[in-house]
Amino acid sequence: MKNSFKALLLGALSIIAVSCKKEDKSPSYHKGDLTILADESFKSVTEALAGGYMINYPDTRIKVVTKKEDLGFMDLLNDKARIAVMSRDLSPEEKKAYEEQVDLKFLPAKFAADAVIFVVPKDSPKEKISMDEIKNGLESDEKNFIFDGTNSSNLNFVAQKLKKQPKDLKFSIIPGNQNIIEELGKYPGKIGVIGLNTFSRPYDKTSQRLREMVKVLPVEDGGKLYTADSDGMREMKYPFTRVLYFLTNEGNFNIANGFIRYSCTQLGQMIVEKEGLQPYNLYKREVQMR
């Protein structure tokens, strides 16, 4: 009888142990590690969303890694990360590569409206910039426009807006959006091209300092001036408004999809608004890509 009881006890313990192992390996949105790849231009809003998620789910650990937009997309395809933040439209070939390599349907999770903006030093006499000036300037050997590098989201988006390839544009480079602002005064006549999220946080001291160093140029298009403010982004009137979205290679509801869902709910959208950007899902009928 003792032997029979021992056998039953061991069998029960084995079943419990196997069950526990299976539970540990099962998908979970509320615990585990996650790496998110984000271009430097919208790293701030991504980190803010990650911080909010970790507060709500203390057993999660999320790391936001700065990566140029194109390189982040390639890393996602090669399974080096589970989420990449994107801003430009993918080409048909890129969408096909995503669906084939990731084995998921291309479903971008849009969460914020951001903008590429054009800045000059505070003491510059320049007050606006036209679409023609932008087009002509990016074809000029003078290279008066300063971007944060090749493969970056800012360059990609401006090129796409102008229906050009990034390699066909002529520009100068200062690595980093913040560095462009801080060093712009050394280069009279140059125009910095940065992401709005670089200094969009209303009450952040670093953002306030950076905003005080430059002025943002309204963009003239068709005889009208457009600014990258709430109305300009919400209604997509500002010509260089862009919608930020997440792409993931996670096929189940694990931490990556949990984070994406959180970012697109009211809590996440409140964080987007606190970052000084336009929430996408609270104004879904008004914010539409053309």
Side-chain angles (χ1 to χ4, degrees), residues 118 120 125-130 133 191 215-220 223-225:
F118 301 83
V120 291
K126 196 169 185 60
E127 296 294 336
K128 64 181 180 179
I129 189 166
S130 69
E133 190 177 352
I191 298 168
K215 58 181 171 182
V216 180
L217 299 176
V219 175
E220 185 178 20
K224 295 182 180 180
L225 287 179

Side-chain angles (χ1 to χ4, degrees), residues 78 137 162 174 201 220 271:
N78 294 321
L162 300 179
I174 295 178
R201 299 172 300 288
E220 185 178 20
I271 291 173

Side-chain angles (χ1 to χ4, degrees), residues 185-243:
K186 300 177 184 177
Y187 306 97
K190 300 289 186 182
I191 298 168
V193 187
I194 64 171
L196 178 63
N197 192 219
T198 305
F199 57 27
S200 63
R201 299 172 300 288
Y203 307 110
D204 176 72
K205 290 184 178 179
T206 299
S207 293
Q208 290 176 345
R209 178 179 67 83
L210 294 173
R211 284 196 298 270
E212 290 170 358
M213 296 178 70
V214 294
K215 58 181 171 182
V216 180
L217 299 176
V219 175
E220 185 178 20
D221 189 17
K224 295 182 180 180
L225 287 179
Y226 299 99
T227 56
D229 55 13
S230 296
D231 291 337
M233 290 189 293
R234 183 172 62 246
E235 298 175 13
M236 303 296 287
K237 289 181 178 179
Y238 177 71
F240 294 93
T241 302
R242 58 184 176 186
V243 173

Side-chain angles (χ1 to χ4, degrees), residues 74-90:
M74 293 305 299
D75 279 357
L76 183 76
L77 294 187
N78 294 321
D79 203 25
K80 294 182 179 179
R82 280 189 272 177
I83 297 182
V85 187
M86 303 290 295
S87 64
R88 67 175 176 83
D89 294 332
L90 296 187

Side-chain angles (χ1 to χ4, degrees), residues 43-207:
K43 183 183 179 185
S44 178
V45 66
T46 309
E47 287 182 331
L49 288 167
Y53 194 78
M54 287 187 285
I55 289 172
N56 279 271
Y57 302 105
D59 291 330
T60 60
R61 293 167 297 279
I62 301 178
K63 181 180 180 182
V64 179
V65 175
T66 303
K67 197 91 172 184
K68 295 294 185 184
E69 186 175 48
D70 287 346
L71 303 180
F73 176 67
M74 293 305 299
D75 279 357
L76 183 76
L77 294 187
N78 294 321
D79 203 25
K80 294 182 179 179
R82 280 189 272 177
I83 297 182
V85 187
M86 303 290 295
S87 64
R88 67 175 176 83
D89 294 332
L90 296 187
S91 67
E93 292 77 18
E94 287 173 323
K95 290 179 182 177
K96 183 180 178 183
Y98 172 83
E99 292 185 342
E100 288 180 350
Q101 289 185 233
V102 176
D103 196 26
L104 290 173
K105 188 173 177 59
F106 176 73
L107 292 171
K110 300 173 183 179
F111 68 94
D114 183 27
V116 174
I117 56 176
F118 301 83
V119 297
V120 291
K122 268 279 198 258
D123 59 359
S124 170
K126 196 169 185 60
E127 296 294 336
K128 64 181 180 179
I129 189 166
S130 69
M131 287 294 288
D132 286 339
E133 190 177 352
I134 295 169
K135 292 174 185 175
N136 295 334
L138 288 169
E139 294 175 355
S140 170
D141 291 330
E142 293 183 5
K143 299 182 179 180
N144 283 333
F145 289 87
I146 304 177
F147 285 84
D148 57 327
T150 56
N151 296 310
S152 73
S153 65
N154 298 330
L155 178 63
N156 288 342
F157 190 79
V158 170
Q160 193 168 69
K161 181 68 181 179
L162 300 179
K163 296 180 172 56
K164 299 278 188 180
Q165 292 296 319
K167 63 181 177 61
D168 296 329
L169 303 182
K170 298 177 181 179
F171 54 91
S172 304
I173 293 176
I174 295 178
N177 287 250
Q178 184 170 324
N179 291 334
I180 290 176
I181 295 171
E182 293 174 337
E183 298 182 26
L184 192 57
K186 300 177 184 177
Y187 306 97
K190 300 289 186 182
I191 298 168
V193 187
I194 64 171
L196 178 63
N197 192 219
T198 305
F199 57 27
S200 63
R201 299 172 300 288
Y203 307 110
D204 176 72
K205 290 184 178 179
T206 299
S207 293

